[in-house]
Amino acid sequence: MADPARIKPDDSASATTASTSEEAVKKEAAEDAQEGAASATDDAKESSSTSTPPKQENASLATEDEEEGSSAKKLKLEPEKKKEKRHKVDEDEIQKMQVLVSSFSEEQLNRYEMYRRSAFPKAAIKRLIQSITGSSVSQNVVIAMSGISKVFAGEIVEEALDVCEKWGETPPLQPKHMREAVRRLKSREQIPNTKFKNIIFH
Amino acid sequence: MAEVEDEGDYDEDLDDGGGLDASGHGKRKRLFSKELRCMMYGFGDDQNPYTESVDILEDLVIEFVTEMTHKAMSIGRQGRVQVEDIVFLIRKDPRKFARVKDLLTMNEELKRARKAFDEANYGS
């Protein structure tokens, strides 16, 4: 699934000032990724995708040519069609996101930027995991763990906002909303718990 | 507020600091305060979330990471945490699973792009 692209003044400006070669754009994407935040890689990917939609199509056409030139032509056409379809669906989604984000108000843009850019510091997560395992962990593990922790935090905040609205109160969220959200998620088993086992029959 | 006082009393009781608990790790320093505030705003909360809510969320996230790490250590290769274990543990949750797959594929792409760029630089 490709990342929905986002039109942001500095992102597009920095993307257009980069040279037209694909490598330069990807280098920018790589530099962005080195900031270390998981969502920064989102930004990098989408800045490269916003500035190179025509290049993406060229790349896919180029790979198509390569694949057609290979000997097993008929066998290769099937996955190639699927890749094309997936590309089209991604492009559609990217366009829809662009339209949506371009119609955001100032406050919505701020919130969206925070949503994309916020991330857990990789060093702290790595330290936390290593303090539990006692041995070192690979970088991919840290990336995966930070990513799902952010999704986890998002699930809790969303549930807490539901609770807050249901109780007829307004943000900012209070601890009672958070705790009720946790209670609900626990009953849906979305919060891992290996400490207390269920006693079915007392 | 009653809830704030409850939180305070509970934290003071956990003086050993070694006990893992759902709402209060004793004297542990706050690891993610700044990032969590931005995250909560991004997910829909107010621009200035309450500190107590941020604390609760931090404790929950740390507990989540701890639980996942322990589970990952017990499956696959024992005593080590590997990406495959995390992916296996998260397989039932569609959101998290999709997110992990995306992050890992993107990381691979970026690594490949960086490598290609470095080689191009080296050649010229």
Side-chain angles (χ1 to χ4, degrees):
Chain A
M1 189 185 87
D3 280 329
R6 168 163 55 106
I7 297 182
K8 204 182 160 233
D10 21 327
D11 265 0
S12 52
S14 65
T16 48
T17 52
S19 75
T20 49
S21 75
E22 220 169 27
E23 284 107 18
V25 175
K26 282 185 177 163
K27 164 82 167 157
E28 194 182 72
E31 280 175 355
D32 282 349
Q34 278 169 9
E35 285 168 35
S39 51
T41 59
D42 285 351
D43 292 349
K45 174 69 166 68
E46 51 89 5
S47 76
S48 72
S49 58
T50 45
S51 62
T52 59
K55 290 192 178 70
Q56 264 184 4
E57 280 170 42
N58 287 341
S60 68
L61 288 174
T63 53
E64 270 174 30
D65 285 342
E66 286 171 11
E67 285 181 277
E68 280 180 15
S70 71
S71 50
K73 205 162 145 186
K74 281 180 189 163
L75 287 174
K76 295 244 177 173
L77 277 179
E78 268 294 323
E80 173 191 305
K81 271 187 206 158
K82 279 187 198 164
K83 219 200 289 184
E84 234 182 277
K85 230 187 269 177
R86 217 187 330 147
H87 248 288
K88 280 214 185 98
V89 169
D90 289 344
E91 309 255 326
D92 273 347
E93 191 176 338
I94 292 175
Q95 278 190 339
K96 283 188 201 163
M97 279 303 288
Q98 281 184 346
V99 171
L100 176 65
V101 178
S102 60
S103 61
F104 274 172
S105 72
E106 173 83 31
E107 202 240 329
Q108 286 171 324
L109 267 178
N110 267 342
R111 203 183 281 271
Y112 186 61
E113 179 185 354
M114 278 295 121
Y115 165 69
R116 293 293 293 253
R117 282 188 180 271
S118 65
F120 289 115
K122 291 224 180 356
I125 298 272
K126 186 164 191 179
R127 230 182 311 138
L128 179 58
I129 300 180
Q130 286 183 334
S131 76
I132 301 172
T133 64
S135 62
S136 66
V137 290
S138 72
Q139 209 190 27
N140 277 351
V141 169
V142 178
I143 291 177
M145 194 62 90
S146 322
I148 52 180
S149 305
K150 181 171 173 185
V151 177
F152 176 71
E155 284 176 352
I156 297 188
V157 173
E158 285 178 1
E159 187 68 29
L161 283 168
D162 275 345
V163 169
C164 179
E165 189 182 340
K166 187 167 189 201
W167 289 355
E169 291 162 5
T170 59
L173 292 170
Q174 299 169 26
K176 58 180 176 179
H177 303 136
M178 313 284 288
R179 288 201 210 101
E180 172 66 15
V182 171
R183 193 192 63 83
R184 289 191 190 178
L185 289 178
K186 264 209 171 102
S187 73
R188 266 183 260 155
E189 295 187 352
Q190 274 182 303
I191 297 195
N193 174 33
T194 52
K195 283 179 273 190
F196 303 110
K197 307 280 180 178
N198 280 337
I199 304 175
I200 305 176
F201 299 110
H202 282 281
Chain B
M1 231 164 70
E3 273 102 26
V4 175
E5 284 168 38
D6 280 348
E7 273 284 281
D9 286 342
Y10 205 60
D11 276 345
E12 281 172 25
D13 282 342
L14 298 171
D15 254 339
D16 57 329
L20 288 172
D21 210 282
S23 55
H25 276 248
K27 295 215 174 105
R28 187 196 282 266
K29 202 176 81 161
R30 293 285 144 193
L31 296 171
F32 307 129
S33 188
K34 269 185 283 190
E35 291 88 6
L36 266 179
R37 270 172 215 278
C38 297
M39 222 177 269
M40 286 177 81
Y41 175 51
F43 282 125
D45 196 4
D46 201 56
Q47 202 157 10
N48 295 319
Y50 285 139
T51 309
E52 296 83 11
S53 308
V54 178
D55 283 350
I56 292 183
L57 195 55
E58 166 162 358
D59 290 335
L60 285 164
V61 167
I62 292 184
E63 187 193 344
F64 176 77
V65 172
T66 310
E67 291 276 328
M68 294 297 295
T69 309
H70 278 302
K71 281 188 183 169
M73 282 204 291
S74 66
I75 67 174
R77 238 179 125 190
Q78 310 278 350
R80 298 181 68 111
V81 180
Q82 295 177 308
V83 202
E84 297 81 22
D85 301 338
I86 298 185
V87 175
F88 176 75
L89 288 171
I90 225 66
R91 69 197 187 284
K92 291 284 176 63
D93 190 333
R95 247 172 166 180
K96 299 197 183 92
F97 184 73
R99 182 71 180 151
V100 173
K101 284 284 175 189
D102 276 351
L103 283 172
L104 293 174
T105 8
M106 241 197 317
N107 191 38
E108 290 301 312
E109 266 187 59
L110 282 168
K111 272 204 285 198
R112 247 180 281 143
R114 239 175 279 156
K115 190 168 163 222
F117 179 77
D118 283 338
E119 277 174 16
N121 248 0
Y122 183 68
S124 67

